[in-house]
Amino acid sequence: MEIDPVTLEVLRNALQAIAEEMGVTLTRTALSPNIKDRRDCSTAIYTARGELVAQAEHIPLHLGLMPTVVKKTLEFYPPETLRPGDTIIINDPYISGSHLPDICLISPVFMGEELLGIVANLAHHVDVGGMVPGSMATTATEIFQEGIRIPPVKLSQGGKLNEELLRVLAQNVRNAATFWGDIQAQIAANTVGARRLAELAARVGGAELKRYLRAVIDYAARRFRKALKELPPGIYTFTDYLEGDGLTADPIRITATVTIGEEGLKVDFTGTSPQVRGPVNATRGVTLACVYYAVKAVCDPELPASEGIAYPLTVITPPGTLVNPTFPAPVAHANINTAQRIADVVFGALAQAVPERVAAAGTGSMSNFAIGGLDSRGRYYSYIETYGGGQGGKCGQDGMDGVHVNMTNTLNTPVEVIEMEYPLLVARYGLVPDSGGPGEYRGGCGLCREITLLREATVSVSTERSSFTPWGLAGGLPGRNSRCLLKRPGCDWEVMPGKFTLTVPAGTTVILETAGGGGFGDPRARAPEAVRRDVKNGLVSREAALADYGVVLNEDCEIDWIATQAKRRETKRLP
């Protein structure tokens, strides 16, 4: 029976709407600011065999992780063994592909006795145990130090909640009440998704819906293969580096070789460093997500997220390397840093093929900032936030300022929420002037946040690009490095490494400045009016306008056109 294109588009959008409604349910009913305010979560719909059909537009990293976790879970619980009212919980990275704070709930959806499909959601919990509050120690050397591992187990069976299991899990985290609340929100999200999918099946018929679930995936695969044919055939290689694993500052090599041919696209990570002792190792699921995202962004950004994206791609991740470690390597910070660098190297390789489609390097990290301890009432708290930075400039467009880029898409935590929920004081929050890489299209500026701890606590910071600058493209200059400063009471400011975990006394202040994005194109080709606007907005200083862009401004911030033309005729500034 043929697939009707109109029906396909109607049902594809209906399925997408269900996934989005699941996401709204999750974020509006969660307790932790990390989920309800920052939206560090994803929701999706699958076929009965665990193939991704539709995913809410939350976090790109989860595009590869969620299909991995559902398929792996179905190896433990085959579809034919599932029953109405079942829900499976899992967070083990060596099965799910993520890191321990990401807890996934998976629920089958039935129409009578017929299995229609599967709904699932993944949410980052603020604490899952381990050696530090927030479960994101930069000094972990094995996964056992990062928190409690949950294999695929039934959280509910036949609609009956396994409260004994939940009590065991809550006993092993620092924020038990928050954990319970966020789990209930995840259950609610799946309940809504299952109800809406069953309602859709009742309208169109169960067999017809299942047929179109498959058709959505096939459509994405056909469209993606067509988009890949627009890339020039060839072999393109790029290398970039992580700035240490949290235990040492030794650079860690990540190499990607992209081969574009008639049959599709292959990404080979041979040449990447072996797995390391620190917690920046990335499971294959993380690596796959980064490849899917980068290739999709370059070839067909509007392509709906589904399993079809994976069909034309081949990804080689040598076992025992940074991008496919063996158990029990720690992995907590792979999502934060390594994922961003994997995306960078794939983009760097693709820039050699289609430079007009690729942005310069962005801030290069999700820049995790975690603070945890006891509040004034003796209760554990965990403040966790990932900070945005500068987006790289691209052909025809400046990079955005102070945003998350590439593998993440979370929001920030409002200052008022931070000070209401935690014993913390936010003294400063804003953009970092001159941090965006100069170019015809400027890189975005990084963020700065200054926080003072009102009580003794453990601080964990994990960022990148403090040594290696975010690279520019087509003659654009690099963005400015990240920077972290710490000041204990009565002491001078200390310059901190990009990754550290430290217990500090009350009154300690921490400043984290994230990296800017690289510029695209010759800075001297930038429109002088755009430079003047950046200066008026506080994004570029007068000094940088002159030195980087050759734009001379008078005291009223107006362009001195004669002086500017003369300055731009001088020898161009080299990177």
Side-chain angles (χ1 to χ4, degrees):
M1 187 180 298
E2 291 187 1
I3 296 296
D4 176 57
V6 174
T7 303
L8 175 63
E9 188 65 7
V10 169
L11 290 179
R12 184 187 68 78
N13 280 278
L15 294 165
Q16 184 68 29
I18 293 172
E20 296 289 350
E21 186 179 358
M22 291 172 64
V24 171
T25 303
L26 177 52
T27 56
R28 293 188 67 178
T29 57
L31 284 187
S32 67
N34 195 53
I35 299 174
K36 70 180 180 182
D37 291 304
R38 296 189 58 248
R39 302 182 185 178
D40 193 347
C41 57
S42 286
T43 51
I45 298 171
Y46 303 81
T47 68
R49 310 307 301 184
E51 297 168 301
L52 178 65
V53 178
Q55 180 170 324
E57 293 185 357
H58 289 160
I59 299 179
L61 180 62
H62 296 165
L63 174 62
L65 294 180
M66 294 190 71
T68 300
V69 61
V70 173
K71 285 183 176 179
K72 287 287 188 180
T73 298
L74 292 180
E75 293 178 10
F76 291 82
Y77 294 96
E80 57 271 16
T81 68
L82 298 175
R83 296 292 179 267
D86 288 353
T87 291
I88 303 164
I89 185 172
I90 177 179
N91 80 335
D92 187 342
Y94 285 93
I95 299 173
S96 72
S98 187
H99 58 180
L100 291 176
D102 284 344
I103 296 179
C104 188
L105 265 59
I106 301 163
S107 304
V109 182
F110 286 83
M111 185 178 183
E113 294 299 316
E114 181 184 11
L115 179 60
L116 288 173
I118 291 170
V119 295
N121 69 75
L122 185 152
H124 185 122
H125 285 244
V126 295
D127 192 274
V128 289
M131 60 194 295
V132 299
S135 311
M136 298 283 286
T138 61
T139 53
T141 57
E142 56 182 4
I143 196 169
F144 304 107
Q145 298 170 325
E146 296 183 328
I148 188 167
R149 292 168 55 221
I150 310 170
V153 290
K154 292 277 186 77
L155 180 65
S156 66
Q157 190 163 5
K160 180 176 174 56
L161 185 65
N162 188 345
E163 295 191 14
E164 292 181 347
L165 171 62
L166 280 178
R167 285 201 297 272
V168 170
L169 298 179
Q171 193 76 2
N172 284 275
V173 304
R174 294 175 177 84
N175 310 84
T178 302
F179 170 81
W180 275 87
D182 288 346
I183 287 290
Q184 293 287 353
Q186 290 186 261
I187 293 172
N190 277 8
T191 300
V192 167
R195 182 182 303 141
R196 296 289 182 262
L197 193 61
E199 290 171 353
L200 184 61
R203 290 201 298 272
V204 304
E208 188 75 347
L209 179 59
K210 292 174 71 173
R211 195 164 70 91
Y212 275 90
L213 293 179
R214 179 74 255 169
V216 169
I217 297 172
D218 292 340
Y219 162 73
R222 289 195 307 272
R223 179 170 155 179
F224 202 33
R225 285 193 176 97
K226 182 179 179 181
L228 289 173
K229 291 184 181 300
E230 298 177 8
L231 302 180
I235 300 175
Y236 311 95
T237 299
F238 193 84
T239 296
D240 208 339
Y241 297 86
L242 279 178
E243 298 169 342
D245 64 354
L247 301 174
T248 76
D250 298 338
I252 306 167
R253 177 187 177 99
I254 303 178
T255 295
T257 298
V258 175
T259 302
I260 303 170
E262 287 296 322
E263 299 303 316
L265 185 146
K266 180 175 74 173
V267 181
D268 187 351
F269 288 94
T270 299
T272 295
S273 293
Q275 67 188 63
V276 293
R277 291 183 64 234
V280 296
N281 301 288
T283 64
R284 178 172 165 82
V286 168
T287 304
L288 290 175
C290 299
V291 172
Y292 297 160
Y293 162 77
V295 178
K296 176 180 181 294
V298 170
C299 295
D300 191 350
E302 302 301 320
L303 179 69
S306 80
E307 189 86 5
I309 294 173
Y311 289 178
L313 302 182
T314 301
V315 183
I316 298 174
T317 55
T321 62
L322 185 77
V323 295
N324 187 10
T326 57
F327 180 84
V331 299
H333 288 271
N335 293 25
I336 304 301
N337 295 317
T338 315
Q340 298 285 52
R341 195 62 67 256
I342 294 170
D344 280 346
V345 298
V346 177
F347 278 129
L350 291 171
Q352 300 168 36
V354 281
E356 71 284 357
R357 295 191 184 189
V358 179
T363 188
S365 172
M366 300 180 195
S367 295
N368 189 70
F369 197 163
I371 304 173
L374 296 173
D375 63 18
S376 60
R377 289 171 286 187
R379 301 183 307 184
Y380 280 104
Y381 74 91
S382 293
Y383 160 71
I384 294 180
E385 185 166 4
T386 53
Y387 289 4
Q391 182 186 45
K394 61 180 294 186
C395 184
Q397 182 177 316
D398 289 347
M400 290 187 287
D401 306 300
V403 295
H404 274 301
V405 302
N406 293 345
M407 301 312 301
T408 185
N409 190 35
T410 55
L411 302 179
N412 66 355
T413 306
V415 171
E416 296 83 358
V417 172
I418 294 175
E419 296 185 343
M420 179 176 66
E421 292 276 345
Y422 313 109
L424 304 172
L425 179 66
V426 180
R428 180 159 50 114
Y429 184 43
L431 299 174
V432 181
D434 291 335
S435 57
E440 181 178 4
Y441 302 101
R442 175 181 58 79
C445 290
L447 282 176
C448 173
R449 183 169 258 167
E450 180 178 339
I451 294 181
T452 298
L453 285 64
L454 302 183
R455 296 179 64 84
E456 178 182 284
T458 299
V459 176
S460 293
V461 171
S462 181
T463 190
E464 281 281 323
R465 297 301 190 191
S466 59
S467 300
F468 295 97
T469 53
W471 37 267
L473 278 178
L477 301 185
R480 180 182 290 182
N481 294 116
S482 62
R483 186 173 68 144
C484 186
L485 303 172
L486 184 143
K487 187 179 186 303
R488 295 176 175 87
C491 300
D492 294 330
W493 286 101
E494 302 175 55
V495 178
M496 304 300 294
K499 303 176 185 69
F500 69 90
T501 296
L502 195 64
T503 299
V504 295
T508 298
T509 298
V510 185
I511 296 176
L512 178 59
E513 294 181 358
T514 61
F520 187 100
D522 182 0
R524 298 302 173 101
R526 184 168 177 78
E529 179 58 34
V531 177
R532 187 185 78 89
R533 185 172 60 249
D534 287 341
V535 172
K536 289 195 69 174
N537 290 336
L539 303 176
V540 174
S541 67
R542 288 173 176 268
E543 295 76 14
L546 179 62
D548 294 326
Y549 297 100
V551 174
V552 181
L553 301 172
N554 62 25
E555 292 182 357
D556 297 323
C557 206
E558 299 296 330
I559 301 170
D560 185 329
W561 289 100
I562 295 177
T564 294
Q565 290 173 0
K567 183 68 176 176
R568 287 194 162 190
R569 283 194 295 267
E570 296 178 4
T571 302
K572 294 179 181 179
R573 181 172 179 254
L574 298 176

